[in-house]
Amino acid sequence: VGRAGDRRGIAAVVGSSRAPLPTWCGPLLRLLLAVLAAGSCQGNSVERKIYIPLNKTAPCVRLLNATHQIGCQSSISGDTGVIHVVEKEEDLNWVLTDGPHPPYMILLDGNLFNRKVMQQLKGTSRVSGLAVSIAKPNPPQGFSPGLKCPNDGFGVYSKDYGPQYAHCNRTVWNPLGSGLSYEDFDFPIFLLEDANETQVIKQCYQDHNVPTDGSGPEYPLCAMQLFSHMHAVTSTVTCMRRNSIQNTFSINPETVCDPLLDYNVWSTLHPINSSGKVDPKKEFIMVATRIDSHSFFWNIAPGAESAVSSFVTHLAAAEALHKASDVHLLQRNIMFTFFQGETFDYIGSSRMVYDMEKDKFPLRLENIHSFVELNQVALRNGSTLWMHTDPVSWMNETVQPQIKNLLDTLSDSSVGANVTLQEAGFSQPLPPSSFQRFLRARHIPGVVLTDHQAAFQNRYYQSMYDTPENIQMQYPEGLSPEETLEYVTDTAKSLAEVATVVARALYRLAGGANDTSAIQADPKTVTRMLYGFLIKMNNSWFQSIIKPDLKGILGDDVPQHYVAVSSPVNTTYLVQYVLANLTGTVVNLTKEECLNPEKAPNTEKELYDYAWVQGSLDPNSTSRVPYCVRSTVHLSKALSPAFELREWGSTEYSTWTESRWKEIRARIFLVASKELEIITLVVGIAILVISLLATHFINAKADVLFSVPRDPGAVAY
């Protein structure tokens, strides 16, 4: 009724009368048009009065690999159900058997979001969807929706290499892993991030849906609708084939899935030509860590212990090493590497190995002298940090002495520190780590540093609860954001100690012979990074070290570290610029020279990267003081080689893709009984028919109903 076209249609019908309109019809018609115009302006307000949108939610979406689809989706028009709050297992009986108004949309307490409950809900048609509230405090029993054996089948251990260690036969690394993230659900599941919205839903339930004396509540009932229809189905092989067909034959191709991809971040202690090839005789110590995480819900990946603790320690070690006075004299170079997509079958590390093998990277595998990886390091028992090595490599007479030297150097570097390094044991395999992908390609001496000797200490691995609280980050009450940024927590001090040991060991491994006591990681830098990567990206330090055109990535939301399909993601950008800030040099170049270093003399563009960053706020004004940073920081592709080779069914490389979707949204509203809906429909149809008949009658008799009476004073002679 409220569209402009309707107004034109009504005017046309009224104006088509065969007799002229009486004078009183003009004002009436203008009034009618004014009412219709008002309806056009207020059409959306009707929807706002009916529906309450839920704006702070995170959906479970569909991911696919070579053989499976995992995740969740709704029907194409969204799924609707009557809300039922489940706060204890007994409440499930109403949903599964007793409730008279199926299907139900469940508001599930976070403590009940586990495999046992989900398997019950998965096997019934009485459930149309799920909204999960966050458990506070974190579930004390732990919660990990990941696999018990992460990245199984894509590491080094197989039937051809250490078969006794394959498939976590010797050590189950993530015993709490329920595998929920790798199940396929045919109904939508949303996370409620806002406690206020959760309370609104509960209040609506209390007002309308609470059963009385064991019998069903009366209408109207509070209902929820979830939209999360996914376009891709079956597997990566299927969806990529459909993409290919669309791109070949369609004028407007519609992509149904995208590969998970991003960029690795890397830099070197001594500059190298990033577009050339390193001399085969040059030796590099490779230091590595992952920068991505994952959870059951899309883009909810805080990763405090699983990712952030390790890459923050890595960044602090890089800064400490660059500050050493004689690093330019070291015989071996050091490469600092931050891999993306490691959660999904080692996307970043497998791509770098592939590029090295195909001469698409400055280094070759032969250039790697040894490998040091930082894994989960924040939850140490006391002061102990564990050194994991490959038991198969210990049997190699050539590699064994190098591994022993690596372990001895690390142990010696911890003398006098508050960190004790111990060997995990020769009979135990490597934990899930990027190093495994390099070991698949070449026998390289290496060690993985973790806070666990066997199974993970992290009870919230790959979950929404792997938050700052999980690594005991605590701040005094009443601090301002700026004071919180600068407050040095015990966690920051602990990770700085680990970074100090790593930096000193790297110095020794690279050939350094001087005293290492001056090599010291800065706890203040570590605490800033922890705050920025775990609590608030939009802080004064991050603002000062990024390019002006990237300030939009510093949102006010809690930082997340999911690899995604659009690149680079915020985490990658920030690791890149934090690394440049900590290891680079401020150079005296103008903005134009910094943005186009080839125009300035002696910039050695092939060796360095230049970035014009915002700088800090001028104390006496609201403007910033920008400057140019020169560093050796670079990006390289983190896209699985399977997509370069178009081998979408590969068992050698990661094949993970993410489905596309049209819309993701959730809302609640009151729903009437089926009987009332039918009565309303019938009455509406009846009114429509009567209106059509009345309109037809009026139009047919218009010359009688709307004829102008003759002037009685006019007499014909």
Side-chain angles (χ1 to χ4, degrees), residues 50-52 80 204 221-225 667-671:
I50 296 175
Y51 300 105
I52 298 177
T80 304
C204 188
L221 299 175
C222 190
M224 182 184 296
Q225 189 172 30
R667 60 188 184 182
I668 63 173
F669 56 95
L670 293 181
V671 61

Side-chain angles (χ1 to χ4, degrees), residues 91-133:
D91 296 336
L92 288 171
N93 295 331
W94 184 265
V95 173
L96 299 176
T97 56
D98 301 338
H101 306 301
Y104 285 96
M105 194 68 70
I106 298 175
L107 174 56
L108 187 68
D109 184 271
N111 289 296
L112 294 177
F113 185 53
N114 55 53
R115 187 175 186 85
K116 177 186 174 184
V117 170
M118 292 305 295
Q119 287 301 111
Q120 293 182 66
L121 302 181
K122 191 176 181 180
T124 178
S125 61
R126 291 174 60 88
V127 175
S128 59
L130 205 64
V132 181
S133 62

Side-chain angles (χ1 to χ4, degrees), residues 566-717:
S566 57
S567 59
V569 296
N570 296 359
T571 304
T572 301
Y573 272 130
L574 289 170
V575 168
Q576 176 188 6
Y577 285 100
V578 169
L579 183 60
N581 178 267
L582 298 180
T583 63
T585 307
V586 177
V587 290
N588 187 23
L589 294 178
T590 64
K591 180 178 180 180
E592 183 180 356
E593 290 173 335
C594 191
L595 297 176
N596 302 282
E598 64 277 1
K599 296 181 180 179
N602 304 319
T603 54
E604 299 178 293
K605 178 70 169 64
E606 66 281 0
L607 300 181
Y608 296 101
D609 178 78
Y610 292 83
W612 185 258
V613 300
Q614 289 194 120
S616 302
L617 285 170
D618 189 323
N620 300 319
S621 71
T622 57
S623 61
R624 295 185 175 275
V625 184
Y627 56 91
C628 186
V629 175
R630 184 187 72 184
S631 71
T632 61
V633 180
H634 304 281
L635 299 180
S636 66
K637 276 187 180 180
L639 169 66
S640 172
F643 298 101
E644 293 276 320
L645 301 169
R646 296 176 67 85
E647 296 177 358
W648 303 320
S650 173
T651 57
E652 170 74 12
Y653 300 111
S654 171
T655 55
W656 286 105
T657 54
E658 181 185 273
S659 174
R660 288 199 178 186
W661 57 80
K662 184 177 181 180
E663 63 175 344
I664 298 286
R665 61 191 174 102
R667 60 188 184 182
I668 63 173
F669 56 95
L670 293 181
V671 61
S673 66
K674 293 294 181 184
E675 293 80 4
L676 181 58
E677 289 178 347
I678 292 172
I679 292 172
T680 304
L681 177 64
V682 171
V683 171
I685 293 173
I687 292 173
L688 174 64
V689 171
I690 293 171
S691 300
L692 291 174
L693 292 173
T695 302
H696 175 74
F697 173 77
I698 293 171
N699 191 53
K701 302 294 182 179
D703 54 341
V704 176
L705 297 173
F706 302 114
S707 60
V708 180
R710 288 187 177 185
D711 186 353
V715 180
Y717 290 97

Side-chain angles (χ1 to χ4, degrees), residues 114-353:
N114 55 53
R115 187 175 186 85
K116 177 186 174 184
V117 170
M118 292 305 295
Q119 287 301 111
Q120 293 182 66
L121 302 181
K122 191 176 181 180
T124 178
S125 61
R126 291 174 60 88
V127 175
S128 59
L130 205 64
V132 181
S133 62
I134 297 176
K136 290 186 178 180
N138 293 352
Q141 70 276 14
F143 174 74
S144 174
L147 298 172
K148 292 182 183 295
C149 189
N151 291 356
D152 185 26
F154 290 87
V156 68
Y157 302 112
S158 65
K159 60 183 176 62
D160 301 318
Y161 188 99
Q164 66 272 34
Y165 307 116
H167 311 301
C168 295
N169 286 336
R170 189 64 59 89
T171 305
V172 177
W173 296 106
N174 185 30
L176 291 176
S178 65
L180 268 183
S181 290
Y182 296 85
E183 292 282 338
D184 183 39
F185 296 92
D186 59 359
F187 51 79
I189 304 177
F190 278 54
L191 176 69
L192 300 174
E193 299 182 74
D194 188 344
N196 291 329
E197 288 188 344
T198 303
Q199 191 55 45
V200 168
I201 299 172
K202 287 184 177 180
Q203 189 60 52
C204 188
Y205 167 80
Q206 292 289 339
D207 293 343
H208 300 279
N209 294 13
V210 175
T212 54
D213 299 326
S215 61
E218 296 183 359
Y219 285 97
L221 299 175
C222 190
M224 182 184 296
Q225 189 172 30
L226 303 178
F227 297 84
S228 62
H229 182 67
M230 300 289 127
H231 293 174
V233 295
T234 309
S235 67
T236 289
V237 176
T238 301
C239 78
M240 290 300 291
R241 184 175 66 243
R242 289 178 178 174
N243 285 352
S244 180
I245 294 172
Q246 285 274 338
N247 291 330
T248 303
F249 298 106
S250 177
I251 298 175
N252 298 307
E254 181 178 345
T255 301
V256 296
C257 69
D258 301 282
L260 296 181
L261 64 100
D262 202 72
Y263 287 90
N264 298 322
V265 182
W266 64 275
S267 74
T268 53
L269 189 64
H270 304 151
I272 63 172
N273 188 341
S274 60
S275 58
K277 293 290 180 291
V278 172
D279 187 331
K281 296 179 182 179
K282 295 285 186 181
E283 293 184 331
F284 285 74
I285 314 295
M286 178 171 277
V287 196
T289 191
R290 67 175 60 189
I291 58 175
D292 69 297
S293 187
H294 179 45
S295 81
F296 186 88
F297 299 99
W298 183 76
N299 203 30
I300 300 296
E305 160 73 341
S306 61
V308 177
S309 69
S310 56
F311 75 70
V312 162
T313 304
H314 188 169
L315 289 164
E319 179 193 33
L321 199 55
H322 271 79
K323 287 181 177 179
S325 58
D326 60 339
V327 288
H328 60 286
L329 301 175
L330 296 178
Q331 300 170 4
R332 299 187 182 98
N333 206 341
I334 299 174
M335 181 175 172
F336 305 98
T337 316
F338 301 81
F339 291 120
Q340 261 287 15
E342 295 300 272
T343 303
F344 296 95
D345 300 335
Y346 306 118
I347 293 174
S349 56
S350 63
R351 179 53 187 260
M352 184 170 284
V353 170

Side-chain angles (χ1 to χ4, degrees), residues 309-310 312-314 316-317 320 373-380 382-386 410 413-414 417-421 449-451 491-506 520-521 526:
S309 69
S310 56
V312 162
T313 304
H314 188 169
E373 180 168 353
L374 285 161
N375 213 304
Q376 303 177 82
V377 293
L379 296 177
R380 304 199 307 276
S383 62
T384 305
L385 203 62
W386 297 95
L410 281 162
S413 300
S414 67
N418 292 326
V419 179
T420 304
L421 290 173
L449 301 178
T450 74
D451 55 20
T491 303
K493 294 174 184 176
S494 175
L495 293 180
E497 291 166 354
V498 176
T500 297
V501 171
V502 172
R504 291 175 180 176
L506 294 174
Q520 189 79 36
V526 175

